[in-house]
Amino acid sequence: MPQATIQSKPQQAILALAALGVVYGDIGTSPLYTMKEVFAGNHPIPLTPENVLGILSLILWSLIIIVSIKYVVFIMRADNRGEGGIMALIALALQDAKGKPRRQRAIMLAGLLGAGMFYGDGMVTPAISVLSALEGLEVATPAFHAFIIPATLVVLFVLFFFQRRGTASVGALFGPVMMIWFATLAVLGLYNIAASPGVLRAINPTYGLWFLFENRAIAVVAMGAVVLSVTGAEALYADMGHFGSKPIRQAWFCFVLPSLILNYFGQGALLLVDPSAAVNPFYHLAPEWLLYPLVGLATLATVIASQAVISGAFSVSRQAMQLGFLPRIEVQFTSEKAQGQVYLPGVNWGLFLAVVILVLGFRSTNNLAAAYGIAVTGDMVITSVLATFVACKSWGWGWGRSVALFSAFLAVELTFLFANVLKIPDGGWFPLAAGSLVFLLMSTWKRGGQLLTERTSGEAIKLESFIDALLVAMPARVPGTSVFMTSSNDHVPNAMLHNLMHNKVLHERVLIVSVQVSDVPYIPELERVEISELKGDFYRVTVHYGFKDEPDIPQALMLCAAKDLAIDMMETSFFLGRATLIPKVGSGMALWREKLFVFMYRNSSSATSFYKIPSNRVVELGTQVVL
């Protein structure tokens, strides 16, 4: 369930510590490669004192404007009953656009594109994070160079292999490890700032503005690297439901932001003293005796950062299934206590394959940096656009105030996006292509589902009229209860028609059950089932879920007892319809997309497993549907 209001300061401190391990892994490991990419990447800028101060100023104010002001102060206000993330933002924006089909369609398409960009980012983050940590071995001795790629693949395989066991057993260690990591960032930064305190002048934003105006030819390239410092900002909003907004804000302002700033400024101070350290300024911050422990700590930190991204992909995929944007796929629950702990084998190994391709194809963080950023900045832009709708309607700001605020953020984000567009030929195409593929799959499944509903409902018989006809010539009734699952309980399910056609019997009690997923994260158990008694011992039952609830039809039906409809599962049979889809030219969607939808439909997980219906109580009846 979403985090309740925090009552005590000790509880807030515990949640803030836990947030360090889940929320801040991605942005917290950015110092491993950001300054390196600026001054020693594939498109380095000249290493001069003015440029160092300018870049540091841009990084500092990007962290303040994009992360601190946009996400922490404003975006985290856009919670859907305590939940955040792109799916929650889509749901909020759609609520405010009810009765306006064009606006709803535009919001949905923008949201799906943002979700696609999230997956694209999720593929690059584990690859660049773990690889950047292990590249520290090369700083110790070039002899380790040949082992970096194999070691990275081994770490990543172990990470993805153990996903099926969940994070409950090791999750308690994430917060303390990341606390040590951020403390190390701060100490290393302070140690080097002491050697060159003049670097603190970069706090003045005029150094960043000077860099942009005096270096117009390379400023865009530099911004494409500066954006690496804010990757992971979307996690603050996405994970809000796990910890609540206050602990996330406390962890950011009290610990994470100061540690990041000190480390970046420490790297800048080091470069002012020793320009040769640009090859890997993060690891050159440390004295030689600390190098190997630092590599080990960095590897742990990047594994935790990757874990947060993978868990996020699982969560978004599950929410997308509930909202009808993805087909049913296998979901395994890895914790009996925390319902957010899920494992999706298909998503897990699909991500792993993409990460392996990235590591083997790009082979270094310098090359991977080109692939990083485009998906993140695209997601940031879409978040700002959707948040404008929410601020206007939900917050009551009106268009003028909402557009003025988020246009300021968009001005910065569009600059980052344009800078990363220039990197598309160098590798930015990969997350863009991956995100576009996810967008295609989601939009095709959503549109195909709408077409399928139109085709089946067009031929459907009204339930009340059908019951009236049955009462005139009632077929034989047999003991027990039958449950007919259907997408619309206002019409006669196809499974019931086929059952009567072939078996010519009905059970003594008949439940017509449909599932409705609301655009809120959770539905209280008291509101889970809605029952309407019809003639002839027929009952219309609607089961309500939020997009983060765990569907369980037998458990939901047991709640009917409190509403005078007791159900004995041992005497209940579930009748499910299974359609065979036939694509047709000119039916509202391109033929190739229809074939893609049919392929996804055929390979989706069964309703039996998805809704946790006992397989030995299920009868499936098939029908053909021409799209």
Side-chain angles (χ1 to χ4, degrees), residues 204-429:
N204 188 336
T206 57
Y207 283 92
L209 294 173
W210 177 90
F211 174 84
L212 294 175
F213 287 113
E214 291 296 320
N215 298 275
R216 293 182 180 87
I218 60 172
V220 174
V221 175
M223 290 298 283
V226 169
V227 73
L228 298 176
S229 65
V230 295
T231 55
E234 66 282 354
L236 279 72
Y237 180 48
D239 291 315
M240 188 167 62
H242 292 107
F243 307 102
S245 58
K246 194 166 186 178
I248 291 177
R249 289 190 175 108
Q250 287 177 336
W252 173 253
F253 285 116
C254 298
F255 202 57
V256 178
L257 180 61
S259 298
L260 290 174
I261 292 172
L262 287 172
N263 193 265
Y264 282 121
F265 274 66
Q267 292 186 46
L270 174 66
L271 294 178
L272 292 177
V273 174
D274 181 13
S276 66
V279 66
N280 202 322
F282 175 80
Y283 281 111
H284 280 95
L285 288 175
E288 190 174 340
W289 61 268
L290 190 58
L291 188 56
Y292 288 112
L294 186 58
V295 170
L297 179 60
T299 303
L300 281 176
T302 54
V303 165
I304 291 171
S306 302
Q307 175 62 59
V309 171
I310 297 167
S311 297
F314 292 163
S315 178
V316 169
S317 299
R318 184 172 166 233
Q319 293 173 35
M321 279 190 286
Q322 292 281 69
L323 291 170
F325 295 124
L326 282 178
R328 293 187 298 263
I329 56 179
E330 183 183 358
V331 178
Q332 298 177 12
F333 294 86
T334 59
S335 173
E336 296 181 359
K337 297 180 180 179
Q339 67 173 355
Q341 296 276 339
V342 294
Y343 169 62
L344 283 68
V347 175
N348 183 68
W349 294 112
L351 272 179
F352 175 70
L353 179 61
V355 170
V356 168
I357 291 172
L358 282 165
V359 172
L360 294 178
F362 290 89
R363 304 192 72 80
S364 74
T365 53
N366 285 344
N367 296 330
L368 270 171
Y372 209 23
I374 185 76
V376 177
T377 52
D379 189 49
M380 287 180 176
V381 168
I382 290 168
T383 298
S384 291
V385 172
L386 293 176
T388 304
F389 285 98
V390 174
C392 174
K393 301 297 182 181
S394 294
W395 301 350
W397 283 14
W399 285 113
R401 193 174 163 194
S402 303
V403 170
L405 174 67
F406 286 99
S407 292
F409 298 134
L410 280 169
V412 179
E413 292 164 347
L414 288 172
T415 303
F416 283 142
L417 182 62
F418 178 71
N420 280 279
V421 166
L422 300 179
K423 299 194 291 186
I424 289 177
D426 296 330
W429 59 269

Side-chain angles (χ1 to χ4, degrees), residues 78 80 83-97 103-116 237 316 319-320 323 325 379 382-383 386-387 389-390 442 446 519-520 547:
N80 190 343
E83 293 292 328
I86 188 69
M87 289 297 168
L89 194 59
I90 294 172
L92 282 173
L94 288 175
Q95 286 176 15
D96 299 328
R103 183 178 295 177
Q104 284 185 325
R105 182 175 174 80
I107 289 170
M108 189 175 295
L109 289 176
L112 292 183
L113 188 58
Y237 180 48
V316 169
Q319 293 173 35
L323 291 170
F325 295 124
D379 189 49
I382 290 168
T383 298
L386 293 176
F389 285 98
V390 174
M442 285 185 166
K446 188 68 174 179
D519 51 10
V520 296
F547 60 79

Side-chain angles (χ1 to χ4, degrees), residues 578-589:
R578 183 70 177 180
T580 299
L581 305 184
I582 302 173
K584 178 185 175 182
V585 177
S587 64
M589 193 162 60

Side-chain angles (χ1 to χ4, degrees), residues 501-522:
M501 183 186 302
H502 295 288
N503 299 324
K504 298 179 174 56
V505 295
L506 280 174
H507 286 77
E508 60 186 1
R509 281 196 313 180
V510 180
L511 274 60
I512 312 299
V513 177
S514 67
V515 174
Q516 288 190 1
V517 179
S518 304
D519 51 10
V520 296
Y522 299 98

Side-chain angles (χ1 to χ4, degrees), residues 448 451-456 459 579-587 591 594 597-598 623-627:
L451 286 176
L452 181 58
T453 301
E454 290 172 10
R455 299 296 181 268
T456 53
E459 304 170 357
T580 299
L581 305 184
I582 302 173
K584 178 185 175 182
V585 177
S587 64
L591 182 62
E594 282 191 18
F597 174 71
V598 170
T623 184
Q624 285 191 344
V625 178
V626 179
L627 290 174

Side-chain angles (χ1 to χ4, degrees), residues 503-570:
N503 299 324
K504 298 179 174 56
V505 295
L506 280 174
H507 286 77
E508 60 186 1
R509 281 196 313 180
V510 180
L511 274 60
I512 312 299
V513 177
S514 67
V515 174
Q516 288 190 1
V517 179
S518 304
D519 51 10
V520 296
Y522 299 98
I523 297 292
E525 280 200 354
L526 291 174
E527 303 171 18
R528 178 77 67 217
V529 292
E530 182 182 344
I531 302 170
S532 175
E533 185 175 357
L534 307 173
K535 300 174 185 176
D537 285 324
F538 279 76
Y539 297 85
R540 180 189 287 120
V541 179
T542 305
V543 182
H544 297 278
Y545 289 112
F547 60 79
K548 293 195 76 174
D549 277 320
E550 178 184 336
D552 189 329
I553 292 299
Q555 184 184 66
L557 293 181
M558 295 304 289
L559 299 174
C560 294
K563 301 187 179 183
D564 299 322
L565 183 61
I567 298 171
D568 183 356
M569 282 297 152
M570 297 306 296

